[in-house]
Amino acid sequence: MAGYDVIIIGGGPAGSAVGGYLSKAGISNLILEGEIHPREHVGESLVMSTIRAFHDLDLLPVMESGDFVRKYGAAWHAPNGNEFAIKFAGFHQDGISQEYTYHVNRATFDNALLKHANNLGSKVLEGVYVKQVLFEGSKAVGVRVAVAGTEIDIPAKLVIDASGRSTLLGNQL
């Protein structure tokens, strides 16, 4: 298998976003995702700062055409019953021109992000489990993956672990 400038372990929001940024910069990258999207994941509300990244990645049209709930504010409830609420329109942030963010179904959202990274130029492989990061001395030089019962080494100039809580590299080291 050909080498890549960057291998990204994990095709969730972080892995898909970094793949998109790299592709837009003309840097070859491979996103390796162990699951097949759409995968079940708990939904969540996104913070306003994500809009800046969506703009950078040309993802806002995808978000607007999707079935994502617009979120215009947030509220917090203290144990004593007090409530604090804000409307996002009241808090200007550089680079953000809309007054809302989104509440997302993560299966749908993660799938849209991964497909968008692929459309931008990231090579995406799903159902491919990274077994370990390969090192020469202290430098990561690729990964070993399991595909159909066979282990394959894929070289890269840089490896990014975006595997989330499972932190493949953290556990390996």
Side-chain angles (χ1 to χ4, degrees), residues 69-89:
V69 175
R70 290 181 178 181
K71 180 181 159 192
Y72 291 87
W76 295 266
H77 301 272
N80 65 5
N82 290 339
E83 178 182 324
F84 176 72
I86 63 168
K87 291 188 183 271
F88 298 140

Side-chain angles (χ1 to χ4, degrees), residues 107-160:
T108 304
F109 176 66
D110 290 8
N111 191 42
L113 279 174
L114 190 60
K115 287 187 181 318
H116 189 69
N118 183 253
N119 290 340
L120 290 173
S122 298
K123 172 73 174 173
V124 175
L125 296 178
E126 297 179 73
V128 176
Y129 289 90
V130 177
K131 303 283 283 181
Q132 73 180 92
V133 175
L134 305 173
F135 286 90
E136 286 180 5
S138 62
K139 182 178 181 346
V141 295
V143 297
R144 180 165 292 144
V145 299
V147 180
T150 303
E151 291 188 358
I152 300 168
D153 292 350
I154 307 171
K157 296 176 184 173
L158 181 72
V159 176
I160 296 174

Side-chain angles (χ1 to χ4, degrees), residues 18 53 70 94 96 107 117 125 151 165:
V18 76
R70 290 181 178 181
D94 289 337
I96 298 175
L125 296 178
E151 291 188 358
R165 279 187 237 161

Side-chain angles (χ1 to χ4, degrees), residues 87-98:
K87 291 188 183 271
F88 298 140
F91 296 90
H92 173 76
Q93 293 185 46
D94 289 337
I96 298 175
S97 59
Q98 66 188 51

